[in-house]
Amino acid sequence: MPNPTAAMLVIGDEILSGRTRDSNMYFLAGELNKLGVDLKEVRVVSDEADAIVAAVTDLSNGYDHVFTSGGIGPTHDDITADCIARAFGVAIDVRADARAILEEHYAKTGAELNEARLRMARIPDGATLIDNPVSRAPGFTLNNVHVMAGVPAVFQAMVATVLATLAGGQPLLSQTLRVDRGEGEIAAILSALAEKYSDLSIGCYPFQINGAFGANVVVRGTEGARLDAAMTELARDLGL
């Protein structure tokens, strides 16, 4: 059986403006690889409702799982929860269990659960809460969309909660061979290898060090024996 598929939707003007560098995609990709869920697509959209709704709808229809980051905080531009509700045609309001989590948290910290913070308890109908052990404001899952905060520490904690509930497939394995030649010199060999081992992903990533060109050839797949065979053949064909 093929591995489950996933997409990620990164939401926020701060990402698109270059003000904030996204690290959540890197983390999610690594964790999904370990579980055996194939991350197939990553999109970044602005804090615009129509763009978020369109992306959520498209990705939800195209993949087994969708992971979102960003836009579920207390400020006016945190509109992700409303957009998820709109995408699936359900109502959204402050939910008792989410409110109870925030009330307990702010009672302990001595801070006020004001109207802005209470926005984080607005959950679409039918959603399941995602635990947030870092700052307590929960994320949620609705259908196949997992909605999480953009702050890396919180995102990572929520991902751990979600992935513990998902069935995965075969973890993606990889092997790398450094070749101290330019891409043009090894392209024909790589093409022939990719055709023979069509079940594997073969990537070529060039580099330049002190004026000398080279490339890291990375072979990925789910069967260790196939990777070993491909790498052995590649080294032989390159005369290494």
Side-chain angles (χ1 to χ4, degrees):
M1 292 291 292
N3 284 354
T5 60
M8 181 181 183
L9 179 63
V10 182
I11 300 165
D13 291 341
E14 68 276 14
I15 302 296
L16 291 169
S17 69
R19 178 180 175 82
T20 300
R21 177 178 295 180
D22 178 69
S23 62
N24 292 333
M25 186 273 289
Y26 174 82
F27 174 80
L28 179 64
E31 295 304 298
L32 291 178
N33 277 342
K34 295 176 190 176
L35 184 62
V37 176
D38 296 341
L39 182 62
K40 294 292 189 180
E41 183 176 351
V42 177
R43 292 191 198 180
V44 184
V45 296
S46 64
D47 294 315
E48 297 180 6
D50 289 346
I52 298 170
V53 171
V56 167
T57 301
D58 188 37
L59 295 175
S60 176
N61 288 333
Y63 301 100
D64 296 316
H65 299 284
V66 179
F67 298 84
T68 79
S69 70
I72 59 170
T75 59
H76 72 283
D77 57 345
D78 290 314
I79 60 174
T80 298
D82 294 271
C83 293
I84 300 295
R86 178 177 152 192
F88 289 108
V90 299
I92 182 171
D93 205 345
V94 172
R95 208 166 83 180
D97 53 354
R99 179 172 187 149
I101 292 170
L102 295 181
E103 286 177 341
E104 179 183 9
H105 172 67
Y106 286 112
K108 289 180 179 179
T109 63
E112 177 190 2
L113 179 56
N114 55 28
E115 287 300 315
R117 289 171 174 151
L118 195 57
R119 281 174 51 83
M120 296 185 291
R122 298 177 69 253
I123 305 294
D125 287 355
T128 302
L129 297 185
I130 298 173
D131 183 42
N132 170 10
V134 178
S135 59
R136 299 306 297 147
F140 60 86
T141 294
L142 184 59
N143 294 346
N144 64 339
V145 180
H146 313 288
V147 181
M148 294 169 287
V151 177
V154 180
F155 178 83
Q156 292 175 19
M158 288 184 172
V159 166
T161 299
V162 172
L163 295 191
T165 69
L166 302 185
Q170 295 179 287
L172 186 65
L173 308 175
S174 70
Q175 294 187 32
T176 302
L177 180 66
R178 172 173 168 155
V179 182
D180 292 316
R181 304 180 200 171
E183 285 185 291
E185 294 183 48
I186 64 175
I189 292 173
L190 294 182
S191 295
L193 191 74
E195 184 175 354
K196 181 174 180 179
Y197 292 89
S198 58
D199 56 319
L200 302 179
S201 170
I202 301 174
C204 183
Y205 306 100
F207 61 81
Q208 183 182 19
I209 299 178
N210 297 327
F213 291 91
N216 288 308
V217 179
V218 181
V219 180
R220 300 180 180 90
T222 57
E223 296 183 22
R226 290 288 286 170
L227 264 68
D228 290 341
M231 292 299 282
T232 298
E233 188 168 328
L234 176 61
R236 183 199 67 201
D237 291 348
L238 291 171
L240 300 177

